[in-house]
Amino acid sequence: MNKNQIQEALIKALEQQWHSALNAADLAHKTASDKENKPEHQYDTLALEAAYLAHGQSERVLELEQNLLTARKLIMKEYSVDDPIGMFALAVLQDAKKHEAYFFISPVGGGMQLSLADKIITVINPDAPVSRKLIGSYLGDEIELPTGHWQEIIALY
């Protein structure tokens, strides 16, 4: 599995989120400054709510910009069969029914799912419950996921 492709897919997904957030922030700012939103009486809070929303959307845009900068600077580590799992590891887990799950540990993009080579790769941040189970484990170890199911680590990239 080529981790540079994972990085490219992660950047592309973050860029899509950034564009969506930018459009939402623009719309929220236009709504907040629209003359139609002037309060009609002291209990009319539409303009205030729109301003709060615009601020929140702007904060989200800034957060995504920072995530994009980080994602572009990631330096992928290649793991050998003797290495413990850590940051930038792609671990493949298999359950008793031979179903496989792919997890990529990254400081950005946690919770995202990337589709590569007909595989769904779940991006998890180091603080995620699954990451806490994986980090420090080795190829061949069995771990109990937070769902209560046991899975074996069958591949590590």
Side-chain angles (χ1 to χ4, degrees), residues 106-128:
S106 171
V108 295
M112 297 177 92
Q113 291 194 325
L114 309 173
S115 180
L116 282 170
D118 296 327
K119 309 285 186 218
I120 301 296
I121 299 168
T122 303
V123 180
I124 52 177
N125 69 37
D127 297 324

Side-chain angles (χ1 to χ4, degrees), residues 17-148:
Q17 284 186 349
W18 178 78
H19 283 295
S20 294
L22 193 61
N23 290 336
D26 184 49
L27 180 60
H29 282 280
K30 286 178 182 174
T31 301
S33 60
D34 191 324
K35 62 183 176 184
E36 296 287 322
N37 283 334
K38 291 198 182 223
E40 295 177 6
H41 50 78
Q42 70 183 35
Y43 299 110
D44 187 355
T45 61
L46 184 61
L48 181 62
E49 292 169 11
Y52 280 125
L53 178 61
H55 176 73
Q57 292 290 353
S58 295
E59 292 291 318
R60 178 72 176 139
V61 168
L62 292 174
E63 176 187 339
L64 287 167
E65 285 174 355
Q66 186 59 48
N67 286 349
L68 265 169
L69 288 173
T70 301
R72 288 182 177 123
K73 293 179 182 179
L74 295 180
I75 298 172
M76 296 296 159
K77 177 183 177 186
E78 292 301 322
Y79 285 85
S80 72
V81 294
D82 298 324
D83 290 333
I85 293 175
M87 187 65 72
F88 308 119
L90 174 62
V92 183
L93 306 181
Q94 187 178 68
D95 65 14
K97 296 179 182 177
K98 304 293 185 201
H99 295 117
E100 294 180 355
Y102 294 76
F103 293 98
F104 178 67
I105 303 172
S106 171
V108 295
M112 297 177 92
Q113 291 194 325
L114 309 173
S115 180
L116 282 170
D118 296 327
K119 309 285 186 218
I120 301 296
I121 299 168
T122 303
V123 180
I124 52 177
N125 69 37
D127 297 324
V130 174
S131 287
R132 290 195 301 260
K133 298 284 186 171
L134 284 172
I135 292 175
S137 297
Y138 291 87
L139 185 65
D141 284 355
E142 287 189 3
I143 62 169
E144 182 180 7
L145 295 180
T147 59

